[in-house]
């Protein structure tokens, strides 16, 4: 079943002839990049990563290393989501503004360098979630081959492991803006605060973590198995996060949930 889906993915990519891959270095875009190179050859694939204030510098470094490992040309473009009209207001369509701006930058790269398509890492799991970015992709003619091949996250991890990709068990990641409660203005200072807080918790050996920000309160989400570590070190963690600007530091007893901020949306 999974092998059939992969063959379908290869066929979809081969029909595209050449692609620019919106490459973040995450599980899905890394697998998509590897599949594109296998299907088309490295000379017909370009990886492009956006360097912005909404992604940690560690993610950019990892993306560069992954592109080199896969053996594909990699271009980094400078972007600023905070300069996009409508983005910092942080309403439920925030991701639309981000993806729309990204694709507006990628399409000229595609045209200038002679590629025929822009693709990104949307997957089948995303179809049942709040993903405004998909609307932007549809409007711009940007395709999602993984979703077209009906591949789900667990299948992508399985195939990534088979192909020897180090991202096969990488924790899910989303831009830092997703940590800030809807309706609360996004600023560089808040993004930096989130980045520092999550990096500090990861330094304690926690791999999957979100520091959801509600004004002056940090709501820490970790997997249940990591809750004891947070509680055992609650004094040190609280003090450290308070130095970043949080006044209240809490642990969410439900645990890590992808897209948990979307619960407030109707």
């Amino acid at each position: 079943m999974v092998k059939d889906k992969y063959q379908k993915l290869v066929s979809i990519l081969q029909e595209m002839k050449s692609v620019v891959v919106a490459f973040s270095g995450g599980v899905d875009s890394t697998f998509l990049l590897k599949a594109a190179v296998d299907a088309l050859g490295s000379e017909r694939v370009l990886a492009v990563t956006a360097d912005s204030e909404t992604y940690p510098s560690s993610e950019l470094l990892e993306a560069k290393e992954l592109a080199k490992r896969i053996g594909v040309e990699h271009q980094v473009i400078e972007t600023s989501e905070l300069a996009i009209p409508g983005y910092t207001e942080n309403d439920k369509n925030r991701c639309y503004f981000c993806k729309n701006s990204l694709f507006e930058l990628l399409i000229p790269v595609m045209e200038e360098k002679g590629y025929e398509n822009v693709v990104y890492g949307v997957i089948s799991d995303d179809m049942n979630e709040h993903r405004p970015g998909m609307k932007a992709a549809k409007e711009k003619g940007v395709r999602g081959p993984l979703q077209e091949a009906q591949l789900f996250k667990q299948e992508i991890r399985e195939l990534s492991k088979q192909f020897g990709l180090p991202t096969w068990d990488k924790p899910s990641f989303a831009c830092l803006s997703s940590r800030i409660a809807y309706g609360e203005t996004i600023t560089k200072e808040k993004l930096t605060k989130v980045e520092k807080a999550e990096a500090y918790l990861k330094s304690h050996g926690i791999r999957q973590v979100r520091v959801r920000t509600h004004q002056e309160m940090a709501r820490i989400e970790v997997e249940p198995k990591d809750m004891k570590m947070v509680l055992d070190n609650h004094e040190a963690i609280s003090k450290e996060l308070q130095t970043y600007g949080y006044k209240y530091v809490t642990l969410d007893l439900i645990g890590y949930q992808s897209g948990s901020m979307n619960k407030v949306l109707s």
Side-chain angles (χ1 to χ4, degrees):
M1 183 67 172
V2 177
K3 289 183 178 180
D4 292 340
K5 288 186 179 183
Y6 180 70
Q7 288 306 314
K8 183 178 180 181
L9 172 63
V10 169
S11 296
I12 291 169
L13 289 165
Q14 288 176 338
E15 289 172 3
M16 292 184 181
K17 297 182 180 178
S18 62
V19 296
V20 171
V21 179
F23 179 56
S24 68
V27 178
D28 305 322
S29 67
T30 300
F31 176 71
L32 175 58
L33 183 62
K34 168 65 174 172
V37 169
D38 288 349
L40 299 169
S42 60
E43 69 281 357
R44 291 191 286 174
V45 179
L46 173 66
V48 179
T49 301
D51 180 19
S52 78
E53 61 273 274
T54 64
Y55 279 87
S57 56
S58 59
E59 290 293 312
L60 176 60
L61 178 61
E62 187 170 347
K64 290 179 178 179
E65 293 172 347
L66 286 165
K68 184 177 181 180
R69 177 173 180 153
I70 293 171
V72 66
E73 183 181 353
H74 185 212
Q75 181 175 338
V76 177
I77 58 175
E78 300 291 332
T79 64
S80 176
E81 278 83 354
L82 299 185
I84 301 170
Y87 185 86
T88 58
E89 287 84 344
N90 196 20
D91 68 12
K92 65 179 183 179
N93 293 313
R94 180 194 67 237
C95 291
Y96 170 84
F97 299 113
C98 175
K99 284 292 190 290
N100 186 65
S101 176
L102 174 63
F103 297 146
E104 284 183 344
L105 292 172
L106 293 184
I107 290 172
V109 172
M110 173 195 74
E111 294 172 343
E112 178 186 343
K113 299 206 170 185
Y115 292 86
E116 297 195 26
N117 294 274
V118 174
V119 296
Y120 76 125
V122 64
I123 61 176
S124 290
D125 306 66
D126 299 330
M127 303 309 291
N128 295 320
E129 297 183 8
H130 178 64
R131 301 282 181 173
M134 290 192 289
K135 181 175 182 288
K138 185 176 181 179
E139 290 174 352
K140 300 295 184 185
V142 173
R143 293 177 61 180
L146 300 178
Q147 187 275 320
E148 292 180 27
Q150 299 181 326
L151 280 160
F152 288 86
K153 177 73 78 176
Q154 191 54 44
E155 296 170 327
I156 291 168
R157 289 190 183 278
E158 178 184 332
L159 288 166
S160 295
K161 186 176 183 180
Q162 290 178 21
F163 293 161
L165 294 173
T167 50
W168 74 270
D169 66 342
K170 181 178 180 177
S172 297
F173 186 80
C175 78
L176 296 173
S177 296
S178 67
R179 320 298 203 257
I180 300 173
Y182 286 117
E184 184 177 339
T185 302
I186 299 172
T187 65
K188 174 63 176 174
E189 291 72 25
K190 290 175 185 176
L191 296 173
T192 299
K193 183 166 64 174
V194 171
E195 181 176 0
K196 286 182 177 179
E198 292 188 357
Y200 177 74
L201 287 162
K202 287 177 181 178
S203 74
H204 283 73
I206 297 177
R207 298 188 70 216
Q208 187 71 78
V209 60
R210 296 287 187 270
V211 177
R212 308 293 188 186
T213 299
H214 304 261
Q215 299 293 346
E216 297 174 324
M217 183 184 77
R219 176 169 58 85
I220 299 172
E221 292 182 10
V222 297
E223 295 177 334
K225 64 183 177 63
D226 292 319
M227 289 184 181
K228 184 177 186 301
M229 193 290 296
V230 175
L231 293 172
D232 287 347
N233 296 276
H234 69 278
E235 289 187 6
I237 291 172
S238 296
K239 288 180 180 178
E240 185 68 21
L241 267 61
Q242 284 172 348
T243 68
Y244 304 150
Y246 291 107
K247 290 188 177 179
Y248 307 98
V249 180
T250 68
L251 174 65
D252 192 319
L253 297 182
I254 294 178
Y256 164 73
Q257 289 184 307
S258 176
S260 69
M261 287 298 201
N262 294 336
K263 289 183 177 182
V264 302
L265 303 178
S266 58

